[in-house]
Amino acid sequence: EDILQPGSRQIAAGYSLYGASTMLVFTLGEGVNGFTLDNSLGEFILTHPNMSVKPSHPIYSVNEGNSAFWDPPTSKFVNDLKALTETHKPYSLRYIGSMVADVHRTLLYGGVFMYPSDSKSPNGKLRYLYEVSPLSLVMEQAGGAAVVGAKRALDVVPDHIHMRVPCFMGSKNDIEIIQNLYRKHQANL
């Protein structure tokens, strides 16, 4: 019971990222800061203070190999992102295949990270307590948003430690669109 709490009860969250440089990004509930390891000093240096997500940005991140199995709101959302209209340029797909790396890029540049449910995995694949919830807190603290369908991700109450959920997180305006598509879909069921 102590563990099965909504994400909104977290007091801190973060992640480490290893690559050309090693980063530590975290929130203590008042903004998000990124630190980069300085190998010559053996210390993490504040290199990304007060990180913030743009309200919208034309990049999305998802494994489109599963698109044939998505639900109608996800399919419509991604198709709309890719559409060229008089007022909308198509979004670009950027998919690394690692949640932390994809969310980090979304945090830096904006856009949408999504790992939706599908008919093969109706509950999604990402674990709520130690994947979706912490990164949702980081995203919200940076001015972005995170949802599980129509519901704010941090309001989900897990029913077991390894509970899986679908998720969408990133730029607030972009996430609001998918959240509204889920609300309309649920109203029509």
Side-chain angles (χ1 to χ4, degrees):
E1 290 179 18
D2 292 337
I3 300 286
L4 301 179
Q5 301 289 322
S8 59
R9 303 276 316 263
Q10 295 173 99
I11 59 171
Y15 58 87
S16 299
L17 189 66
Y18 305 97
S21 62
T22 301
M23 285 198 69
L24 175 64
V25 177
F26 67 90
T27 180
L28 298 175
E30 295 182 17
V32 177
N33 290 295
F35 298 81
T36 303
L37 179 63
D38 182 325
N39 288 321
S40 66
L41 296 175
E43 295 179 5
F44 282 91
I45 308 298
L46 178 62
T47 53
H48 295 74
N50 303 313
M51 296 173 78
S52 64
V53 181
K54 294 177 183 176
S56 183
H57 192 69
I59 293 176
Y60 71 104
S61 176
V62 67
N63 180 357
E64 284 202 69
N66 292 323
S67 62
F69 306 103
W70 290 342
D71 59 23
T74 301
S75 294
K76 178 171 178 27
F77 181 62
V78 173
N79 287 335
D80 288 352
L81 292 178
K82 297 189 299 185
L84 174 62
T85 67
E86 289 181 20
T87 59
H88 179 270
K89 289 178 15 182
Y91 276 43
S92 296
L93 173 65
R94 299 285 183 269
Y95 181 65
I96 297 167
S98 160
M99 181 186 190
V100 170
D102 282 319
V103 169
H104 183 70
R105 186 198 50 254
T106 303
L107 187 63
L108 291 175
Y109 304 111
V112 181
F113 166 80
M114 56 188 113
Y115 208 120
S117 60
D118 58 41
S119 59
K120 298 181 301 179
S121 302
N123 295 322
K125 285 195 166 186
L126 297 176
R127 277 68 53 109
Y128 179 73
L129 280 173
Y130 43 91
E131 292 174 317
V132 174
S133 180
L135 292 180
S136 295
L137 181 61
V138 169
M139 192 61 69
E140 281 198 11
Q141 284 295 311
V147 297
V148 172
K151 188 173 192 171
R152 177 179 175 239
L154 293 177
D155 291 338
V156 170
V157 179
D159 55 22
H160 64 282
I161 292 174
H162 304 294
M163 183 177 93
R164 295 175 187 267
V165 295
C167 80
F168 300 81
M169 63 178 68
S171 295
K172 196 174 272 190
N173 295 351
D174 296 324
I175 298 303
E176 187 176 285
I177 294 168
I178 186 64
Q179 187 174 30
N180 287 333
L181 287 171
Y182 272 101
R183 285 180 179 143
K184 287 178 189 173
H185 181 72
Q186 289 173 351
N188 292 328
L189 292 179

